[in-house]
């Protein structure tokens, strides 16, 4: 990963290859290296990659200089800029109020408790397939009012989407995207047909919403639900696995959290700062600007590397150390600026509930001795596979 190691097809200097085996083997370690040696780096794959906290914050808070419209496919409201973004953002924020989050917590706790309960008889199990992924699918369906019959298809869809993304198979990715939209449209069609008998859930509510005095277009509702669901399924599952991995490696922290659940919120924020579940986001430069010592031109692609920015020692003292008592106000786990994650409170509740149920229902656990964790490959963060084993004792009661 030496600067100026190659030339991209357009003649731009190529500083690194994000797809190289040594990068994918451990993304966090590779991004730490880039932040220290080439913090504003160009590649033909990601355009400009930014690794420092200050540079990332500069980009994501400057919606006049950097656009979120990065794809030819519409994305509501993630892929919008003001003023168009403003109305849609205000519309969706009403679904993530603290009141709604609190009302949904018992549902999450029931789902988490059932999943944890099903694992009590096993001394060794894989986290993603047995806990993280089914939890993400079930809580998202529960939040949107979608039927249990979608749990299986959505889990299969997640796997197919991951495989196509890793293979960079654009034809398969397009087909898979259409498949997901068909699930959403089926839910919308069922509610329209039911009319007054439609269930009173978020999906039904969206059919009644208006922008500028007109009902939301079908395509816009599909895009909103796609963004919520695809992001939820991947990110929440990755978060659960990252946290479980950390606790399995750090027995003292695990024991402390078992005894004092009030520490969980800050512990989770810090664990996910250390190993980010969401690696990056894209922007397009609207004007020419110097970032670090590099010239970025209008129209250039810019990739902000959240997983690196959150480990920047210029912002976080002892950045690679677990310090749950640190000030988390600079943590970019949920983004920043006008596109900061609207569902942050919901995600925090879901993670707190799941990890609390794990600590209540499962005895002290460690990494499985005969199976090494497998790191996820970009654009995924965290781990692709993780097996843990328990000591067989009864869980400590908080």
């Amino acid at each position: 990963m030496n600067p100026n190691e190659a030339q991209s097809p357009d003649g731009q200097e190529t500083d690194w290859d994000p797809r190289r085996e040594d990068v994918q083997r451990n993304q966090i370690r590779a991004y730490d290296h880039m932040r220290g040696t080439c913090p504003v780096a160009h590649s033909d794959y990601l355009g400009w990659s930014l690794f420092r906290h200050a540079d990332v914050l500069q980009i994501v808070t400057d919606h006049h200089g950097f656009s979120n419209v990065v794809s030819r496919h519409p994305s509501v409201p993630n892929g919008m800029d003001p003023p168009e973004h403003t109305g849609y953002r205000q519309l969706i924020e009403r679904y993530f109020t603290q009141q709604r989050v609190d009302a949904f917590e018992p549902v999450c706790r029931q789902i988490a408790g059932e999943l944890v309960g099903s694992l009590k008889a096993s001394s060794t199990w894989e986290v993603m397939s047995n806990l993280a992924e089914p939890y993400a699918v079930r809580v998202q369906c529960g939040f949107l009012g979608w039927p249990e019959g979608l749990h299986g298809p959505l889990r299969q869809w997640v796997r197919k989407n991951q495989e196509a993304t890793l293979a960079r198979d654009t034809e398969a990715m397009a087909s898979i995207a259409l498949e997901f939209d068909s699930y959403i449209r089926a839910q919308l069609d069922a509610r329209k047909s039911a009319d007054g008998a439609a269930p009173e859930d978020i999906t039904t509510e969206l059919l009644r919403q208006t922008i500028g005095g007109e009902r939301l277009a079908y395509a816009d509702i599909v895009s909103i639900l796609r963004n919520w669901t695809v992001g939820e399924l991947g990110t929440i599952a990755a978060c659960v696995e990252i946290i479980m991995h950390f606790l399995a490696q750090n027995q003292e922290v695990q024991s402390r959290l078992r005894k004092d659940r009030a520490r969980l919120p800050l512990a989770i924020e810090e664990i996910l700062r250390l190993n980010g579940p969401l690696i990056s986001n894209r922007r397009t430069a609207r004007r020419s600007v110097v970032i670090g010592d590099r010239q970025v031109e209008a129209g250039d692609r810019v990739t902000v590397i959240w997983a690196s920015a959150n480990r920047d020692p210029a912002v976080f003292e002892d950045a690679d150390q677990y310090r749950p008592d640190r000030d988390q106000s600079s943590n970019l786990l949920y983004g920043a600026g006008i596109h900061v994650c609207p569902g942050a409170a919901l995600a925090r509740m879901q993670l707190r509930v799941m990890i609390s149920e794990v600590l209540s229902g499962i005895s002290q656990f460690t990494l499985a001795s005969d199976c090494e964790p497998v790191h996820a490959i970009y654009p995924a963060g965290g781990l692709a596979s993780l097996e843990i084993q328990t000591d067989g004792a009864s869980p400590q009661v908080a």
Side-chain angles (χ1 to χ4, degrees):
M1 291 179 288
N2 294 320
N4 308 331
E5 63 181 20
Q7 294 282 322
S8 66
D10 61 4
Q12 172 68 55
E13 292 178 350
T14 295
D15 302 303
W16 73 310
D17 183 356
R19 295 159 293 183
R20 271 172 47 166
E21 183 181 349
D22 59 334
V23 175
Q24 297 304 324
R25 193 180 303 122
N26 189 328
Q27 291 188 72
I28 298 300
R29 182 176 60 194
Y31 301 152
D32 283 349
H33 173 77
M34 291 300 296
R35 189 181 58 248
T37 59
C38 190
V40 182
H42 190 272
S43 70
D44 61 347
Y45 184 46
L46 297 179
W48 293 103
S49 295
L50 309 184
F51 297 92
R52 290 183 300 211
H53 190 283
D55 295 335
V56 168
L57 195 61
Q58 173 190 339
I59 300 308
V60 300
T61 56
D62 181 7
H63 58 269
H64 297 293
F66 296 88
S67 172
N68 257 54
V69 182
V70 296
S71 171
R72 60 188 176 88
H73 302 291
S75 177
V76 183
N78 307 41
M80 292 177 167
D81 298 320
E84 185 182 27
H85 167 268
T86 306
Y88 285 97
R89 175 72 187 213
Q90 291 172 346
L91 184 150
I92 69 170
E93 283 181 342
R94 70 189 66 175
Y95 297 107
F96 298 101
T97 64
Q98 193 60 52
Q99 183 178 7
R100 281 187 182 264
V101 171
D102 292 343
F104 189 55
E105 181 169 339
V107 177
C108 292
R109 192 167 297 280
Q110 179 181 352
I111 294 169
E114 290 174 359
L115 290 169
V116 169
S118 70
L119 298 172
K120 287 182 179 180
S122 303
S123 59
T124 304
W125 39 273
E126 204 280 321
V127 174
M128 181 60 80
S129 59
N130 290 284
L131 191 70
E133 189 178 82
Y135 181 63
V137 168
R138 290 180 62 180
V139 296
Q140 183 65 2
C141 286
F143 185 65
L144 296 176
W146 293 0
E148 291 184 8
L150 271 179
H151 294 174
L154 286 179
R155 291 185 66 181
Q156 292 176 5
W157 181 90
V158 168
R159 296 190 187 99
K160 287 191 290 186
N161 188 53
Q162 289 171 343
E163 292 170 1
T165 301
L166 291 177
R168 302 181 70 189
D169 186 338
T170 54
E171 185 175 332
M173 289 167 65
S175 174
I176 291 167
L178 289 175
E179 177 187 339
F180 191 86
D181 285 0
S182 72
Y183 294 140
I184 299 174
R185 290 181 181 277
Q187 294 305 307
L188 296 176
D189 290 345
R191 284 160 175 77
K192 287 193 73 173
S193 298
D195 197 20
E200 289 298 325
D201 54 35
I202 289 177
T203 304
T204 300
E205 286 184 41
L206 283 171
L207 285 166
R208 301 169 181 160
Q209 295 301 333
T210 60
I211 285 285
E214 296 185 2
R215 285 283 177 91
L216 278 178
Y218 229 49
D220 288 345
I221 300 175
V222 171
S223 182
I224 290 170
L225 291 170
R226 183 198 310 121
N227 283 331
W228 286 356
T229 305
V230 173
E232 175 83 1
L233 297 184
T235 307
I236 289 296
C239 286
V240 170
E241 194 159 34
I242 289 168
I243 298 165
M244 293 292 290
H245 181 239
F246 182 89
L247 295 180
Q249 287 185 304
N250 294 271
Q251 296 295 296
E252 184 179 344
V253 176
Q254 186 184 149
S255 296
R256 192 178 307 130
L257 293 175
R258 287 180 183 277
K259 296 173 183 176
D260 186 0
R261 303 300 164 76
R263 296 175 178 263
L264 265 180
L266 287 179
I268 291 171
E269 297 285 304
E270 177 69 349
I271 292 168
L272 297 177
R273 181 194 67 80
L274 285 167
N275 191 351
L278 182 63
I279 297 295
S280 67
N281 271 146
R282 295 182 294 164
R283 299 290 192 274
T284 300
R286 285 174 150 169
R287 54 181 169 79
S288 178
V289 62
V290 175
I291 305 176
D293 60 353
R294 310 299 292 271
Q295 181 71 44
V296 176
E297 301 294 348
D300 282 358
R301 292 176 298 145
V302 179
T303 303
V304 295
I305 309 293
W306 305 114
S308 171
N310 262 350
R311 294 170 55 85
D312 190 339
V315 177
F316 302 99
E317 185 179 2
D318 299 324
D320 61 347
Q321 301 298 310
Y322 171 75
R323 286 179 40 182
D325 58 338
R326 75 167 78 241
D327 180 5
Q328 296 288 342
S329 61
S330 296
N331 190 333
L332 298 176
L333 174 61
Y334 294 101
I338 64 170
H339 292 282
V340 67
C341 177
L346 177 66
R348 287 184 170 109
M349 179 274 289
Q350 291 171 341
L351 295 173
R352 171 179 54 79
V353 165
M354 168 52 83
I355 302 305
S356 179
E357 289 298 308
V358 166
L359 297 176
S360 293
I362 297 175
S363 60
Q364 200 81 6
F365 55 88
T366 60
L367 299 179
S369 57
D370 60 348
C371 190
E372 286 290 323
V374 178
H375 290 282
I377 296 175
Y378 186 90
L383 300 161
S385 179
L386 170 68
E387 287 202 8
I388 66 169
Q389 60 188 32
T390 65
D391 63 12
S394 298
Q396 299 175 19
V397 179

